[in-house]
């Protein structure tokens, strides 16, 4: 499974919303995937998606209420 995102950096003004699009190859449903977006450590994380749901319990405080898959 390969996940690819935009070919260039995305520049957004602070406080603005942004959608970070990605594509899976081969195409498949995300229902059975576990995806974690993190800065330097796996926990706390920026966002986690597992078992078909967004997981917020150990999310970094500054991202609570700001992310979803």
């Amino acid at each position: 499974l390969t996940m690819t995102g935009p070919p260039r950096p995305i520049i957004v003004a602070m406080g603005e919303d942004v959608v970070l699009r990605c594509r899976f190859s081969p195409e498949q449903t995300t229902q059975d995937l576990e995806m974690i977006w993190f800065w330097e450590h796996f926990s706390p994380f920026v966002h986690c998606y597992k078992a078909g749901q967004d997981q917020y319990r150990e999310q970094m405080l500054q991202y609570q209420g700001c992310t979803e898959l």
Side-chain angles (χ1 to χ4, degrees):
L1 177 67
T2 302
M3 183 179 85
T4 55
R8 291 180 233 93
I10 297 172
I11 300 171
V12 180
M14 187 181 298
E16 294 292 317
D17 291 340
V18 64
V19 174
L20 303 174
R21 299 192 187 279
C22 65
R23 177 169 293 174
F24 295 101
S25 178
E27 285 189 30
Q28 71 177 61
T29 178
T30 59
Q31 185 69 25
D32 297 324
L33 295 179
E34 179 176 345
M35 293 176 271
I36 302 173
W37 173 18
F38 59 93
W39 281 110
E40 296 176 355
H41 306 284
F42 288 108
S43 183
F45 48 76
V46 174
H47 192 84
C48 179
Y49 179 87
K50 183 165 105 175
Q53 296 183 332
D54 296 307
Q55 307 291 314
Y56 296 110
R57 203 170 90 222
E58 296 179 39
Q59 187 177 32
M60 295 172 72
L61 293 175
Q62 60 266 46
Y63 291 99
Q64 288 184 351
C66 298
T67 66
E68 66 181 77
L69 179 71

